[in-house]
Structure formats: structure tokens, C-alpha cells
Amino acid sequence: MASWRTVTDDDGHAISYKVLPRGTPVRSADGVQIGTVRRAQETGREHIFDGIVIDTKEGKRFVDAPEVARIAERWVTLTISAAEAAELPPPGGGMRQRVDQATTVRRAKRFGRSVRERWDRR
């Protein structure tokens, strides 16, 4: 008679991304652990699950919501293989770099520096 404790494929009950704890293991579709959860992300206004940021051996990586198959108590399961997971992008994408290089942002930073310098000279 087999003990119920010998079952290793039980990931527990499904949970919301809002209560997903940091450090939860992340497994690919082929069962390979590729990292651990760093944080879950949601869209700003709509409060919809956007994806998770995971810690891997190569650094932080972003997993988009459609690539997350199941969020459970014991681990998160992805819809992609370990080979595909190795090619995941770092979090943030290129949007922050484009915003930082925008003319308006550069002007605002310059203006902020000049105001700070004038304040310090008072």
C-alpha cells in the first residue's frame, strides 16, 4: 500500500498571483526547475495579472502571463520548456530605456539639477 506522502507531482491548491510568496519554485512545462519567484506583476489600472519576475542562475527574468500555466501553493508551472525559458528577457524591457532617453525626460532632469544647485547656493 502506497503512502499519500510519496506523491511528488502534487503542487497543492491553486492560489492567486496576489498571494504568491517570494521564493516559490518555478518549473517549466517539462518539469525542470528554472528559478524562484521574485514578484508578481499586474497592470496598473485594470489590476490584471501581467506576469512574474523570477530569479534564475542567469539573473532576473520576466515571464509573461500567457506563459504561466498554473500558480499553486508549492510551485508555479509554465507553459514553456526549459530551453525556451532560458531565452526569457530581463524585466522592464526596453521601455524604461526609451523613456530615459526621451527629450522631455532629459530636460526635466536637467531642470531638476539646476533648481537643486540654485537651492543649495541660497
Side-chain angles (χ1 to χ4, degrees):
M1 183 168 139
S3 171
W4 62 273
R5 292 185 180 141
T6 59
V7 176
T8 59
D9 291 336
D10 183 25
D11 60 353
H13 296 286
I15 61 172
S16 170
Y17 70 93
K18 293 184 178 191
V19 296
L20 181 62
R22 184 180 205 168
T24 303
V26 178
R27 292 186 178 180
S28 62
D30 48 0
V32 178
Q33 182 174 340
I34 58 170
T36 57
V37 172
R38 180 128 181 127
R39 68 178 178 273
Q41 291 186 325
E42 64 181 12
T43 59
R45 291 185 184 159
E46 296 87 20
H47 301 290
I48 298 172
F49 177 60
D50 188 37
I52 57 175
V53 176
I54 60 174
D55 287 322
T56 66
K57 293 177 184 175
E58 292 80 28
K60 294 180 198 171
R61 297 291 181 249
F62 177 71
V63 181
D64 203 13
E67 297 167 342
V68 178
R70 179 174 162 87
I71 299 175
E73 295 172 323
R74 294 188 185 96
W75 65 76
V76 175
T77 306
L78 304 181
T79 60
I80 57 176
S81 67
E84 293 170 325
E87 299 174 6
L88 288 171
M95 183 58 91
R96 178 171 299 289
Q97 295 167 351
R98 284 183 285 192
V99 168
D100 286 343
Q101 296 302 319
T103 306
T104 308
V105 173
R106 289 195 314 258
R107 285 182 187 153
K109 286 181 180 177
R110 219 174 18 244
F111 176 73
R113 281 193 298 266
S114 67
V115 168
R116 190 176 332 116
E117 289 168 0
R118 282 183 274 170
W119 180 264
D120 290 341
R121 285 188 294 211
R122 275 184 349 128

